[in-house]
Amino acid sequence: MVARIEISHLDKTYIRKPWLWGKAMLRPVLQDINLILPENRVLGLVGESGCGKSTLCKVVLGIEQATAGTVKINGQDIAGLSGTQWKPLRQYMQVVYQDPYASLDPRMNVRQLISEPLDIHGLHLQKKEREQFLKALLDSVGLAENYLDRYAHEFSGGQRQRIAIARALALEPQILIADEPVSALDVSVQAQILNLLKEIKEKRKLSVLFVTHDFAVARFLCDEIAVMYQGKIVEQAPSEELFAHPLHPYTRQLLSAVPSLGKKKQLLAPHAFWEESRNEWPCPFAPRCQNSLDVCQYTLPKIKEVYPGHQVCCALENKLSEEPL
Amino acid sequence: MSVSPILEVRNLQISFVEQNRNRLVLRGLSYSLEKGRVLAVVGESGSGKTVHALGLLSLLPAAARISGGEVRYKGQNLLACSAEQLRQIRGAKIAMIFQDPSASLNPVLTVGQQLIETLRAHESISKEEAARKAIELLDKVGIPNPEKRLDEYPFQFSGGMCQRVMIAMALALKPDILIADEPTTALDVTIQAQILRLMKDLQQEYGMAVIFITHNLALAAAIADDVLVLYGGLCMEQAPAEKLFTHPLHPYTQGLLGSLVSVSRKTEHLPAIPGNPPIAGEPLPGCPFAPRCSQATEKCSQKLPPLFAKGSCYVRCWLEEPHGSTH
Ligand SMILES: Nc1ncnc2c1ncn2[C@@H]1O[C@H](COP(=O)(O)OP(=O)(O)OP(=O)(O)O)[C@@H](O)[C@H]1O
Ligand SMILES: Nc1ncnc2c1ncn2[C@@H]1O[C@H](COP(=O)(O)OP(=O)(O)OP(=O)(O)O)[C@@H](O)[C@H]1O
Ligand SMILES: [Mg+2]
Ligand SMILES: [Mg+2]
């Protein structure tokens, strides 16, 4: 299978320079990330708020530079690409950002917002065709064609998110980087957009890097899921395998906390304070782990394949429960 | 004896003024909220949830007008308050978590400066005291190493961390009423659970009342006492949470509950409600949901149903019209 995106040994450390003097502060955010996004696949990235999901997207998009490691898009290393070399990649790879309020220029109307990428990449359609195209695109994300002449600031949060999705799909990309694309949408619109993404994926062999914190959404759309914790991938498996045999204690903790209409109580956390993560533990999750043993204090866990395609990064790897939740 | 509500909204109408006409996007909303209670507002994207919340505190964008109604906080009509009176109430008495992060986080000030400013705007405490409180607040919303984070800018925080800073800011002054507009969309389940715990504690300790705008139905079911369902700028159904989620009356509410994605099994196609929502401000003569409703009759598209009372629930649907009424 063709790898659309290949990430190997990627590290990203944010450097905060002091304002006047003093030592620069380093914040390692991604550590040794290895991921492959094949053609016609949806790779889900789940994990705690602040674990580095958006940063990973930004590195792939060339907005942030990797500190170490490589990112290849269609076999091409993106390190040191010039602006003109990026241009074809930008057409090929589109993005939906996490914050719909920041990602759309409020002074542009919907027609301009969606046609802009077409113009930049020189895809000139006849006026009538273009009109048809825009209307069909808007309709597919659940917005009426009358909205074409409205400005971005006139829209609600969920409507903006849908405009952003329409804009990303306008160029018929082969890769879509989607950072929490449906979390601002009500369930019915969300269902519509998820169906649409699935359909497009199958029709056009689209590959999607899909950041979400919603396991239900991930299960519906993703072929493969990677679970991140504090900048590391702690478990990765084909989606159904992950739900059938979640191994890593963090994955299990996340899955058991998924809210549903029937499970009311679990939504409220117990009266516990946040565990200060103790950096001296080799496994970042150890301080919060219910299974952690002495070995976790001196063993640096390595990611290992325990079943074909199912990798987990835990020092207790062969003592883990495999019961489905 | 019935408790007098802390907030009473009566027939609130909001429209956007355009060159030649008014677009009415909130078509008369009424509810009352008692101390210590949680009201969840759910509904279609674009149905007027945010506009309603901004209207309560007169924070609407320039193009918007309140075209009718009343908002009474402890008996005082907020819509008739002076700018100065409103400034006293906002933040300290009624706090808001905005859906749009840029509405509350200033990109050129550090997170610490913003929290300290908020704390000192309504309370006379020293800078050091405020800084100490700010660290405590960040810690409460689960930001690791809060002392180091204080002098960072919002762009150095992740999406969910910004959301948590806004929550901390809103809770800083222990308000009587918290209006939370999609406050946890960027948070994963474990952090969300901690935030909900924090809100619950404030609610129990100080009797804080909450208006919780969300599209996460499981969340609404878990924390709300009452739920209000908006569609096309109108309240379609209002009911105690346990009733609404077990026996939804309105076809739209039923459709929403039917669109939930299941985590416990793999689905091939999701049952979305067919069709698209109405365009806000271009009201149809009948029920706004009629064009998408599988049970709609001719009457539905001609005449807007009123809210019918049904036990402790209210529903705007002709199918629920009490028998024997004359029409
Ligand atoms: N500044 C504005 N100018 C014109 N129309 C606006 C403006 N802001 C909002 N609207 C319109 O008002 C309606 C209600 O918007 P609102 O933001 O209240 O929706 P919402 O229910 O909060 O949706 P979401 O769940 O997507 O946030 C929408 O149809 C929107 O297009
Ligand atoms: N420009 C920056 N400078 C310094 N630190 C940053 C910067 N951007 C992000 N960070 C930090 O990097 C970490 C990871 O952030 P990131 O935005 O990737 O998280 P995330 O997984 O997307 O979280 P969320 O789900 O909350 O959006 C956070 O601790 C954040 O504060
Ligand atoms: Mg993010
Ligand atoms: Mg809104």
mmCIF file of all heavy atoms in Angstrom, chain A residues 101 156-158, chain B residues 49-51 99 181-182 213, ligand 4:
data_model
loop_
_atom_site.group_PDB
_atom_site.id
_atom_site.type_symbol
_atom_site.label_atom_id
_atom_site.label_comp_id
_atom_site.label_asym_id
_atom_site.label_seq_id
_atom_site.Cartn_x
_atom_site.Cartn_y
_atom_site.Cartn_z
ATOM 1 N N TYR A 101 -13.306 29.559 14.776
ATOM 2 C CA TYR A 101 -13.389 31.014 14.854
ATOM 3 C C TYR A 101 -12.120 31.660 14.340
ATOM 4 O O TYR A 101 -12.119 32.789 13.892
ATOM 5 C CB TYR A 101 -13.660 31.458 16.296
ATOM 6 C CG TYR A 101 -15.080 31.209 16.700
ATOM 7 C CD1 TYR A 101 -15.434 30.035 17.340
ATOM 8 C CD2 TYR A 101 -16.068 32.135 16.405
ATOM 9 C CE1 TYR A 101 -16.745 29.798 17.698
ATOM 10 C CE2 TYR A 101 -17.376 31.902 16.761
ATOM 11 C CZ TYR A 101 -17.713 30.739 17.402
ATOM 12 O OH TYR A 101 -19.011 30.505 17.739
ATOM 13 N N SER A 156 -22.687 30.777 13.062
ATOM 14 C CA SER A 156 -22.505 30.168 14.376
ATOM 15 C C SER A 156 -21.268 29.264 14.327
ATOM 16 O O SER A 156 -20.736 28.979 13.258
ATOM 17 C CB SER A 156 -23.738 29.349 14.736
ATOM 18 O OG SER A 156 -23.745 28.138 14.024
ATOM 19 N N GLY A 157 -20.818 28.815 15.498
ATOM 20 C CA GLY A 157 -19.619 27.986 15.577
ATOM 21 C C GLY A 157 -19.680 26.762 14.674
ATOM 22 O O GLY A 157 -18.758 26.479 13.903
ATOM 23 N N GLY A 158 -20.774 26.038 14.755
ATOM 24 C CA GLY A 158 -20.915 24.817 13.973
ATOM 25 C C GLY A 158 -21.027 25.101 12.480
ATOM 26 O O GLY A 158 -20.539 24.332 11.648
ATOM 27 N N LYS B 49 -28.565 29.283 19.997
ATOM 28 C CA LYS B 49 -28.114 29.034 21.367
ATOM 29 C C LYS B 49 -27.146 30.117 21.839
ATOM 30 O O LYS B 49 -27.294 30.684 22.917
ATOM 31 C CB LYS B 49 -27.437 27.651 21.465
ATOM 32 C CG LYS B 49 -28.314 26.497 20.997
ATOM 33 C CD LYS B 49 -27.647 25.153 21.180
ATOM 34 C CE LYS B 49 -26.427 24.913 20.319
ATOM 35 N NZ LYS B 49 -26.697 24.814 18.878
ATOM 36 N N THR B 50 -26.139 30.397 21.018
ATOM 37 C CA THR B 50 -25.138 31.392 21.398
ATOM 38 C C THR B 50 -25.738 32.791 21.420
ATOM 39 O O THR B 50 -25.514 33.558 22.352
ATOM 40 C CB THR B 50 -23.955 31.344 20.408
ATOM 41 O OG1 THR B 50 -23.368 30.046 20.490
ATOM 42 C CG2 THR B 50 -22.909 32.384 20.734
ATOM 43 N N VAL B 51 -26.517 33.109 20.396
ATOM 44 C CA VAL B 51 -27.153 34.423 20.325
ATOM 45 C C VAL B 51 -28.014 34.659 21.569
ATOM 46 O O VAL B 51 -27.991 35.730 22.164
ATOM 47 C CB VAL B 51 -27.979 34.521 19.022
ATOM 48 C CG1 VAL B 51 -28.950 35.670 19.075
ATOM 49 C CG2 VAL B 51 -27.052 34.655 17.829
ATOM 50 N N GLN B 99 -18.127 30.494 23.495
ATOM 51 C CA GLN B 99 -17.802 29.438 22.534
ATOM 52 C C GLN B 99 -16.592 29.867 21.704
ATOM 53 O O GLN B 99 -15.760 29.044 21.337
ATOM 54 C CB GLN B 99 -19.017 29.210 21.623
ATOM 55 C CG GLN B 99 -18.854 28.071 20.644
ATOM 56 C CD GLN B 99 -20.101 27.889 19.785
ATOM 57 O OE1 GLN B 99 -20.965 28.758 19.715
ATOM 58 N NE2 GLN B 99 -20.188 26.739 19.131
ATOM 59 N N ASP B 181 -21.051 28.177 27.226
ATOM 60 C CA ASP B 181 -21.399 27.895 25.831
ATOM 61 C C ASP B 181 -20.405 26.894 25.250
ATOM 62 O O ASP B 181 -19.280 27.246 24.936
ATOM 63 C CB ASP B 181 -21.381 29.211 25.036
ATOM 64 C CG ASP B 181 -22.047 29.083 23.665
ATOM 65 O OD1 ASP B 181 -22.452 27.958 23.307
ATOM 66 O OD2 ASP B 181 -22.161 30.106 22.968
ATOM 67 N N GLU B 182 -20.804 25.677 25.125
ATOM 68 C CA GLU B 182 -19.945 24.598 24.625
ATOM 69 C C GLU B 182 -18.585 24.602 25.320
ATOM 70 O O GLU B 182 -17.550 24.693 24.675
ATOM 71 C CB GLU B 182 -19.714 24.737 23.107
ATOM 72 C CG GLU B 182 -20.976 24.881 22.274
ATOM 73 C CD GLU B 182 -21.600 23.545 21.910
ATOM 74 O OE1 GLU B 182 -21.198 22.519 22.490
ATOM 75 O OE2 GLU B 182 -22.509 23.542 21.070
ATOM 76 N N ILE B 213 -24.817 25.192 27.559
ATOM 77 C CA ILE B 213 -25.130 25.008 26.148
ATOM 78 C C ILE B 213 -24.226 23.916 25.604
ATOM 79 O O ILE B 213 -23.003 24.000 25.733
ATOM 80 C CB ILE B 213 -24.900 26.321 25.376
ATOM 81 C CG1 ILE B 213 -25.799 27.413 25.963
ATOM 82 C CG2 ILE B 213 -25.157 26.123 23.889
ATOM 83 C CD1 ILE B 213 -25.572 28.776 25.364
HETATM 84 MG MG MG C 4 -23.039 28.555 19.354
#
